[in-house]
Amino acid sequence: KACVGFCYSKQKGRTRQTEQTSERTNERTNERTMGDTIDEGKSKSILSIASDKKEVGAQAAAFILSEADAAIKKNGKFTVAFSGGSLPKLVGPGLASAKPKNTDKWVVLFSDERCVSLESEDSNFLSVQQHVLNPLGIPKENVVTIDPNKVSDPDAAAIAYEEALRKATDVKTGVPSIDLVLLGMGPDGHTCSLFPKHPLLNANDPKQLIRSIKDSPKPPSSRITFTYPLLNQAKGVAFVCTGGSKSKSLKEVLDQQVKPEDKLPSARIENPRIFWFVDKDAAKDLKA
């Protein structure tokens, strides 16, 4: 098990290597998964590279459980937003095997959702339910889903979801601070349902935190999604990303020299705590 941890400070435009474990020399074992944090700038990323998808999932699951314990200890509950794709499958086994307590204090949200029924194979909820909610025994009343009665009207679905999110987080005005937002990244660098060169990349109204999209380049075309004010305000953001198809986008996301207007969607999040859990295939284009 080899792990390489890097800190990238987006504010300063520099890259620092904080910990490296070499497969070639096998100098150290993967006893820790995080690089040290650089305490500068308003946005930085910590990158953890694992040998394979299974190890990525295990590391990410351990991190989620640590964040949950801290949030519950401090606030009595843990608000966490899941994305769909491969993420639930990757983190589910590690979460379930840990048999965590206090999952009745988890409040589960969705960083984006397709405007389909909750039983549809395209539903992010269905995937999270199968791989996380049911194995962990999270109560149904703690899960904030898209309103199935509004999926035919994405605009109405977005408005209703924001209302439900505010109720779940006890924040009537302003931007809620979700404890942890879990994200994936597509080969094109998109995250949530925020796609390259799409107008929603400029959706920064704190009074419209959830937006609809009706022309998604990836089917299904109608969706609702978190926007950047919500992602930026989260107490932590964690990407889980595997596979060689993501390597070029990952390199570009972590490239400090890209002009702001040219940044990929995944690179536009400005949050003090951004974590990347990736495998060596996704990281193959990164320089040590």
Side-chain angles (χ1 to χ4, degrees):
K1 299 177 181 179
C3 175
V4 183
F6 301 93
C7 279
Y8 296 82
S9 172
K10 296 182 179 179
Q11 182 71 11
K12 297 297 182 181
R14 298 184 303 199
T15 301
R16 288 190 192 177
Q17 180 177 334
T18 58
E19 179 181 86
Q20 178 170 348
T21 315
S22 171
E23 280 185 289
R24 192 171 55 249
T25 61
N26 196 28
E27 293 173 344
R28 301 179 66 176
T29 57
N30 183 23
E31 294 299 328
R32 62 195 297 264
T33 62
M34 296 297 166
D36 296 330
T37 301
I38 300 173
D39 187 16
E40 61 181 18
K42 64 180 180 179
S43 182
K44 49 186 169 287
S45 297
I46 298 175
L47 174 64
S48 177
I49 303 176
S51 58
D52 55 31
K53 291 181 179 181
K54 183 178 180 180
E55 187 62 25
V56 170
Q59 290 180 3
F63 175 74
I64 294 167
L65 294 175
S66 176
E67 294 290 290
D69 288 344
I72 292 170
K73 183 177 181 180
K74 183 176 181 180
N75 301 314
K77 68 178 180 179
F78 174 53
T79 53
V80 56
F82 280 84
S83 62
S86 61
L87 187 146
K89 298 178 183 179
L90 288 169
V91 303
L95 293 174
S97 64
K99 298 180 180 179
K101 299 178 181 179
N102 298 327
T103 55
D104 60 319
K105 293 180 173 59
W106 287 35
V107 177
V108 177
L109 307 160
F110 295 86
S111 60
D112 71 323
E113 182 57 280
R114 290 82 178 268
C115 290
V116 297
S117 73
L118 299 181
E119 294 78 26
S120 170
E121 292 184 358
D122 288 324
S123 168
N124 287 343
F125 161 76
L126 182 63
S127 179
V128 175
Q129 181 187 51
Q130 292 172 342
H131 298 285
V132 178
L133 305 180
N134 287 348
L136 268 61
I138 297 173
K140 293 180 180 179
E141 59 268 23
N142 290 18
V143 183
V144 183
T145 69
I146 192 171
D147 186 338
N149 297 316
K150 291 183 168 59
V151 294
S152 61
D153 185 344
D155 291 338
I159 292 171
Y161 198 84
E162 181 162 343
E163 292 175 351
L165 182 149
R166 289 186 177 282
K167 182 178 180 180
T169 55
D170 299 317
V171 178
K172 294 182 180 180
T173 60
V175 182
S177 185
I178 298 168
D179 289 315
L180 181 63
V181 178
L182 299 168
L183 300 174
M185 182 183 71
D188 61 353
H190 87 267
T191 193
C192 298
S193 284
L194 301 168
F195 293 91
K197 300 181 180 181
H198 194 279
L200 278 184
L201 296 183
N202 298 314
N204 293 312
D205 187 347
K207 295 181 180 179
Q208 285 185 292
L209 301 174
I210 308 296
R211 298 293 292 269
S212 64
I213 176 171
K214 304 169 189 174
D215 57 351
S216 167
K218 182 179 179 181
S221 59
S222 294
R223 302 159 176 241
I224 61 173
T225 183
F226 280 16
T227 54
Y228 289 110
L230 198 50
L231 297 171
N232 295 342
Q233 189 66 21
K235 294 174 184 173
V237 173
F239 283 88
V240 181
C241 178
T242 62
S245 66
K246 315 291 180 67
S247 61
K248 291 183 179 180
S249 288
L250 181 61
K251 179 182 179 181
E252 185 173 339
V253 166
L254 297 177
D255 184 356
Q256 308 304 308
Q257 307 307 316
V258 177
K259 295 180 181 179
E261 62 270 22
D262 295 331
K263 286 185 176 182
L264 293 174
S266 294
R268 294 176 179 237
I269 300 173
E270 295 184 350
N271 189 292
R273 299 179 71 234
I274 301 177
F275 302 85
W276 286 84
F277 296 90
V278 307
D279 65 358
K280 61 182 181 181
D281 291 334
K284 65 182 181 180
D285 289 332
L286 299 180
K287 295 181 179 179

